[in-house]
């Protein structure tokens, strides 16, 4: 899990530069694990600079993932100055003409999907990290006063602190057009996030077009044609993400948060009762019917083939028992099963059966913390996502104490907004500050910034997410000792201008300006 | 723990709003935002076809073809009324349609003028079979009526356009309905300002308060003192407003019936001025020596007043409005206190150690300068709080305080006979989780103890979007639709618009209208618009 950036061919190790000096010219975000740079600068010419496969690299021009990344980053580096025309005849002595990309692992994995395993394998220079290294390289390039691209003599050795660095987007409470999702994958790559947690359906709407159960979106989406994700859309999201080394983990949250499912699938939800008659409203998934499990079997069979990642997120959060309690059939079932009045046992019963179904599809699963809290029997490779703000450390201690891997999202609910620089709070979080053995700490594989959709849609998503999520990105990527807020501020300010320059409406941190302001209005 | 309660509250809110949303969808609203003073609608509706729809001047109208404001407005509103038309999705030509004409009649001309204090914005609109009649006193009223008409037109599921039989009698509750943008803490490209003016017109705002310069930067390119922006802007070429930029903004605003009120805030908030104007700011002292830092404008030098006089001479000729905003807020006295020359001046003037007297002295001079230029001044409330001698016609703007303090300040200022503007409850740069538009909506600007005459001195209010955390990337979505809440409070009858719950489905609808018109207005709560925002 290492990529290295070394250039140019003649090595020069200057003294490790001071932070302020660095931030005058470039902003590296998230900060690499190790870097050395010197004031010696090289110029880059759009007409001569090339990104090429190094001799001896196991990847070549047939690796379309890399070819695409080369082009993308060439454009990021030179896209803005192209029109001005570079002098073609003059060659500077101090010119950097080539970035050689060397893949040393035997299998460059050009056509594979990124996975948790990719990260853990620690293969040096696997292709995902080449993409990340290109991002770092592009951040090292800066424009001097004459508008010429420069890069300083630098050497970098880099790898992530955590292997799961996610962003959750919620496409149920508001539908997000495809291009908004793609744009955010692009920004995720700029911040070295590597997991897109797609909270695709929920109470409010069901935009996922299922081939097996087309009625789910036909009836449950905000609009059956304009507010859905077709299989082609989903495929393009996954491929776009793959090109950037990003996993796509879909979440199909049950048994709660399923109001929209009920519209297109009769008898799936529990009818709530008012006294002795049905009230006309519905509660969580009905856990006592065999038809429910037949449905889930077919449904997750489809999901497991549509989404390539080895993991599926099964939700399991915030189940409201009042409707189950009101329903006489459920009461009877509770009695038969000997659950007494403990409805969390019914919830566990449901989840258990669901987990068995999903296990049979050969997928691993992620769940929200309640599933663990309710003592459902989980497979060893289950990832438990901790989202409740109270007693976070105890929860991390318990989950890892029980031997489960976990990711943290509780401190990073970015949909909660407030006046001022709240990115600092996200930045200061230390995921491993809980009491536990080194083995327990290793089970924390990362975290996620969540942008729930109550108040967010295409109109405000990007500026609300960025650069606030960038704070989380550095916490999850960089060394734990990288925590100086002052240094972070000056680098993040530049990094946000970087994103703005690339056409991303990332909001400002505070008073000030960017050389190139957002003009996409 | 607090967060847990917070999350529980959110859950409850989610549930409550689910009910509201369901309710809102049952009873479809084709409302106008802000709510007209009188509106009656029937279920009788008329099919409109863009091919046989016309906007025209009535025979008895003082404005006729050639009226710059309305000619352009006709063109603009045709597109707003028929948003699909440009895409050529006209309906089958073989269907027969009744022609429909919106006939506009204006009693006074003034097509080439600028909207100003006292402009009459009232209008009557009658929509009946084949024709709608829009009658207004002035072209500015006609613009408001066109906006209302455009909001009455709706599309059914087959995309056909309809308008219901309607009667509207409408006029604004307050004559001053402003929106402040801050172009100093972040530079806003001219396009951002123009699109804000568009959205303002949709909500019937009529004053753009341009807080154009402040401590961080001086983007206004002055023809008299070009060094102010050369040295004081974030960048002297890319982060400035040239004279032609300013003219463009004023022209764009005029065509939408919006006044442009410039603010050149002094004596505080002027750090950026000092870069291009030597000896203008007060040098701060550390003991006996200058510390190298600067404080507010130096009020002891006659050159300061000469400079301000020249600058305002330029400013008041560039900006047409009868009013100019002079700021006067948040003056920090520590630097003045440290400076021996200022101390000497205080002694000479007999001010003792009361630095508010020095500030007062400065403001009086500035007010005299603008008065001599025939402009009426607007200042922040601080000027009233500290100074007794200010001209009666000076307008005070309230920007701070708890609700009780605001009520008391309204009472004091109006008792002294000054007109007053309210902006304290509408600092929209302050954000929080959830539907904060509700707080903005329930403000009662005239709810303070005072006589009827005092109440009438409340001439309106302003939404403020200060720029610490706002630039072109997030301005639009942060401003809209939250500003719409204040727009309705300032335009509509308070009794008829007292219910937030009844406003919710209307505002939700209006927000989708804004999105349809390309304004990046953020959602109020979960849900969807038929046409979602399609930009990035």
């Amino acid at each position: 899990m290492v990529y290295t950036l070394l250039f140019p061919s003649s090595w020069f190790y200057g003294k490790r530069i001071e932070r302020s000096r660095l931030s005058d010219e470039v902003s590296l975000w998230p900060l690499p694990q190790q870097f050395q740079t010197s004031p010696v600068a090289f110029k880059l010419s759009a007409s001569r600079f090339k990104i090429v496969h190094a001799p001896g690299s196991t990847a070549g021009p047939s690796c379309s993932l890399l070819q695409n990344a080369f082009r993308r980053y060439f454009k990021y580096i030179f896209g803005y100055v192209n029109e001005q025309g570079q002098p073609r005849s003059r060659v500077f002595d101090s010119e950097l003409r080539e970035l050689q990309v060397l893949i040393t692992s035997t299998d460059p994995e050009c056509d594979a999907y990124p996975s948790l395993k990719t990260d853990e394998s620690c293969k040096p220079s696997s292709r995902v990290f080449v993409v990340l290294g290109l991002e770092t390289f592009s951040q090292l390039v800066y424009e001097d006063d004459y508008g010429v691209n420069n890069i300083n003599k630098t050497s970098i050795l880099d790898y992530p602190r955590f292997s799961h660095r996610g962003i959750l987007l919620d496409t149920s409470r508001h539908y997000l057009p495809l291009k908004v999702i793609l744009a955010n994958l692009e920004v995720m790559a700029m911040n070295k996030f590597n997991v897109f947690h797609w909270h695709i359906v929920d109470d409010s709407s069901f935009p996922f077009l299922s081939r097996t159960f087309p009625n789910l979106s036909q009836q449950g989406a905000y609009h059956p044609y304009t507010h859905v994700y077709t299989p082609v859309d989903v495929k393009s999201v996954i491929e776009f993400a793959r090109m950037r080394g990003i996993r796509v983990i879909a979440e199909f949250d049950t048994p709660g948060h399923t109001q929209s499912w009920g519209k297109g699938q009769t008898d799936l939800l529990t009818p709530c009762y008012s006294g002795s008659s049905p009230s006309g409203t519905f509660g969580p998934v009905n856990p006592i019917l065999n038809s429910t499990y037949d449905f889930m079997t077919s449904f997750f069979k489809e999901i497991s083939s549509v989404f390539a990642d080895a993991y599926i997120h099964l939700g399991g959060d915030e189940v409201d028992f009042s409707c189950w309690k009101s329903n006489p059939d459920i009461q009877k079932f509770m009695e038969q099963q000997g659950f007494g009045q403990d409805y969390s046992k019914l919830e566990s019963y449901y989840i258990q059966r669901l987990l068995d179904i999903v296990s049979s599809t050969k997928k691993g699963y992620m769940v929200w913390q309640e599933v663990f809290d309710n003592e459902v029997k989980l497979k060893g490779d289950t990832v438990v996502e901790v989202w409740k703000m109270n007693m976070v450390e105890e929860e991390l201690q318990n989950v890892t104490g029980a031997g489960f891997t976990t990711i943290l999202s509780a401190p990073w609910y970015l949909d909660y907004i407030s006046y001022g620089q709240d990115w600092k709070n996200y930045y200061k979080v230390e995921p491993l500050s809980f009491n536990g053995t080194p083995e327990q700490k290793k089970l924390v594989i990362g975290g996620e910034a969540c942008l729930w959709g109550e108040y967010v849609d295409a109109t405000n998503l990007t500026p609300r997410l960025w650069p606030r999520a960038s704070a989380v990105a550095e916490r999850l990527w960089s060394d734990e000792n990288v925590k100086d807020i002052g240094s972070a501020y000056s680098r993040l300010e530049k990094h946000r201008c970087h994103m703005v320059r690339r056409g991303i409406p990332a909001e400002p941190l505070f008073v000030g300006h960017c050389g190139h302001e957002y003009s996409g209005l | 723990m607090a967060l847990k309660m917070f999350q529980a509250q959110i859950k409850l809110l989610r549930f409550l709003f689910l009910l509201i949303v369901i309710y809102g969808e049952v009873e479809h609203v084709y409302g106008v935002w802000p709510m007209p003073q009188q509106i009656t609608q029937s279920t009788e509706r008329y099919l409109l076809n863009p091919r046989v729809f016309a906007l025209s001047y009535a025979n008895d109208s003082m404005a006729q073809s050639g009226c710059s404001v309305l000619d352009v407005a006709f063109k603009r509103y045709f597109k707003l009324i028929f948003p699909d038309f440009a895409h050529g999705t006209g309906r089958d030509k073989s269907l027969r349609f009744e022609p429909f004409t919106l006939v506009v009649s204006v009693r006074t001309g003034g097509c080439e003028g600028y909207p100003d204090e006292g402009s009459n914005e009232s209008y009557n609109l009658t929509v009946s079979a084949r024709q709608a009649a829009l009658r207004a006193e002035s072209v500015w009223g006609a613009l408001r009526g066109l906006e209302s008409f455009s909001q009455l037109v709706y599309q059914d599921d087959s995309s056909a356009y309809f308008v219901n039989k309607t009667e509207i009698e409408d006029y604004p509750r307050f004559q001053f309905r402003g929106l402040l943008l801050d172009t100093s803490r972040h530079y806003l490209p001219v396009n951002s300002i123009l699109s804000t003016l568009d959205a303002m017109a949709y909500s019937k705002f009529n004053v753009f308060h341009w807080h154009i310069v402040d401590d961080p930067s001086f983007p206004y390119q002055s023809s008299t003192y070009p060094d102010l922006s050369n040295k004081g802007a974030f960048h002297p070429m890319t982060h400035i407003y040239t004279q032609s930029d300013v003219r463009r903004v004023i022209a764009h605003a005029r065509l939408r019936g919006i006044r442009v009120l410039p603010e050149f805030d002094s004596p505080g908030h002027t750090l950026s001025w000092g870069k291009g104007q030597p000896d203008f700011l007060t040098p701060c002292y550390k003991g006996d020596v200058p510390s190298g830092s600067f404080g507010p404008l130096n009020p002891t030098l006659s050159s300061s007043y000469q400079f301000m006089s020249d600058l305002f001479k330029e400013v008041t000729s560039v900006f047409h409005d009868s009013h100019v905003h002079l700021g006067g807020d948040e003056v920090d006295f520590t630097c003045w206190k440290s400076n021996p020359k200022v101390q000497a001046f205080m002694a000479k003037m007999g001010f003792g150690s009361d630095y508010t007297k020095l500030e007062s002295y400065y403001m009086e001079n500035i007010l005299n300068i603008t008065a001599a230029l025939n402009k009426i001044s607007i200042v922040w409330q601080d000027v009233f709080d500290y100074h007794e001698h200010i001209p009666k016609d000076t307008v005070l703007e309230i920007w701070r305080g708890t609700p009780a303090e605001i009520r008391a300040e309204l009472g004091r200022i109006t008792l002294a006979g000054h007109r007053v503007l309210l902006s304290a409850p509408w600092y929209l740069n302050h954000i929080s989780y959830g539907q904060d538009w509700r707080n903005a909506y329930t403000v009662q600007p005239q709810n303070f103890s005072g006589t009827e005459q005092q109440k009438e001195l409340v001439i309106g209010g302003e939404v403020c979007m200060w720029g610490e955390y706002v630039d072109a990337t997030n301005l639009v979505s942060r401003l809209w639709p939250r500003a719409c809440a204040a727009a309705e409070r300032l335009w509509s009858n308070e009794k008829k618009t007292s219910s937030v719950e009844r406003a919710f489905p209307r505002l939700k609808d209006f927000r989708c209208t804004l999105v349809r018109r390309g304004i990046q207005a953020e959602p109020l709560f979960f849900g969807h618009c038929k046409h979602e925002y399609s930009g990035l």
Side-chain angles (χ1 to χ4, degrees), chain B residues 179-184 187-188 190 193 207-213 219-220 240-242 245-250 259-264 319 325 462:
Chain B
L179 187 148
L180 175 148
L181 292 185
D182 169 3
T183 57
S184 172
Y187 176 79
L188 297 173
V190 174
I193 297 176
V207 180
F208 167 41
H209 176 167
W210 195 348
H211 188 86
I212 192 165
V213 298
Y220 172 76
I240 55 164
Y241 303 104
T242 64
D245 288 339
V246 172
R247 277 199 298 274
R248 232 176 113 200
V249 167
I250 295 172
R259 301 161 56 188
V260 178
L261 172 72
E263 176 181 353
F264 285 82
F319 293 90
H325 205 301
E462 282 192 339

Side-chain angles (χ1 to χ4, degrees), chain B residues 398-416:
Chain B
I398 298 180
W399 66 275
R400 66 175 165 200
T402 62
E405 287 165 354
I406 293 166
R407 280 196 298 274
E409 184 80 350
L410 280 166
R412 280 195 297 271
I413 292 174
T414 54
L415 190 62

Side-chain angles (χ1 to χ4, degrees), chain A residues 282-296:
Chain A
F282 294 88
V285 165
N286 193 333
I288 66 168
L289 301 179
N290 280 330
S291 59
T292 294
Y293 300 99
D294 294 342
F295 166 82
M296 291 297 172

Side-chain angles (χ1 to χ4, degrees), chain A residues 173-174 179 183 222 227 389 415 419 454-455 457 459-460 464 496 506-512 514 517, chain B residues 3 14 185-186 239 429 433 468-469 471 473-474 478 511 520-527 529 532 534:
Chain A
R173 291 182 177 86
H174 284 101
K179 82 176 188 193
Y222 282 129
H227 288 64
M389 205 41 197
D415 51 319
Y419 185 70
E454 280 85 349
Y455 300 103
D457 72 0
T459 60
N460 58 354
R464 186 154 297 185
R496 107 87 192 177
E507 67 176 21
L509 292 180
F510 196 53
V511 174
C514 296
E517 299 285 2
Chain B
L3 196 80
R14 273 180 197 166
R185 291 182 175 83
H186 284 100
H239 287 65
N429 52 310
Y433 185 73
E468 280 86 349
Y469 301 102
D471 72 0
T473 62
N474 58 356
R478 190 154 294 189
R511 180 256 161 177
Q520 217 174 323
E522 68 176 17
L524 291 180
F525 202 50
F526 67 79
C529 296
E532 299 287 3
S534 58

Side-chain angles (χ1 to χ4, degrees), chain B residues 392-536:
Chain B
K392 262 278 166 17
D393 67 351
T394 305
V395 181
L396 280 308
E397 180 162 7
I398 298 180
W399 66 275
R400 66 175 165 200
T402 62
E405 287 165 354
I406 293 166
R407 280 196 298 274
E409 184 80 350
L410 280 166
R412 280 195 297 271
I413 292 174
T414 54
L415 190 62
H418 288 290
R419 292 176 303 159
V420 66
L421 288 167
L422 188 61
S423 63
W426 292 312
Y427 265 37
L428 298 193
N429 52 310
H430 292 151
I431 52 168
S432 59
Y433 185 73
Q435 300 197 33
D436 56 2
W437 70 271
R438 293 165 174 257
N439 304 329
Y441 192 76
T442 49
V443 173
Q444 297 177 306
Q446 287 167 314
N447 181 18
F448 61 95
S449 44
T451 62
E452 279 312 302
Q453 285 89 333
Q454 275 179 270
K455 308 270 163 111
E456 274 169 29
L457 289 170
V458 181
I459 57 169
E462 282 192 339
V463 159
C464 297
M465 184 55 76
W466 296 99
E468 280 86 349
Y469 301 102
V470 177
D471 72 0
T473 62
N474 58 356
L475 171 76
V476 182
S477 60
R478 190 154 294 189
L479 199 45
W480 310 103
R482 292 162 75 227
C484 302
E488 179 147 298
R489 184 54 53 239
L490 292 169
W491 177 280
S492 307
N493 181 295
E494 192 169 293
K495 284 203 184 81
K496 288 180 185 169
T497 56
S498 58
S499 161
V500 183
E501 301 315 322
R502 279 204 299 277
F504 179 76
R506 290 176 48 241
L507 186 53
K508 214 164 166 270
D509 222 52
F510 182 56
R511 180 256 161 177
C512 288
T513 303
L514 293 177
V515 169
R516 185 81 206 267
R517 293 178 177 187
I519 303 294
Q520 217 174 323
E522 68 176 17
L524 291 180
F525 202 50
F526 67 79
H528 78 294
C529 296
K530 198 169 154 190
H531 301 269
E532 299 287 3
Y533 182 68
S534 58
L536 184 66

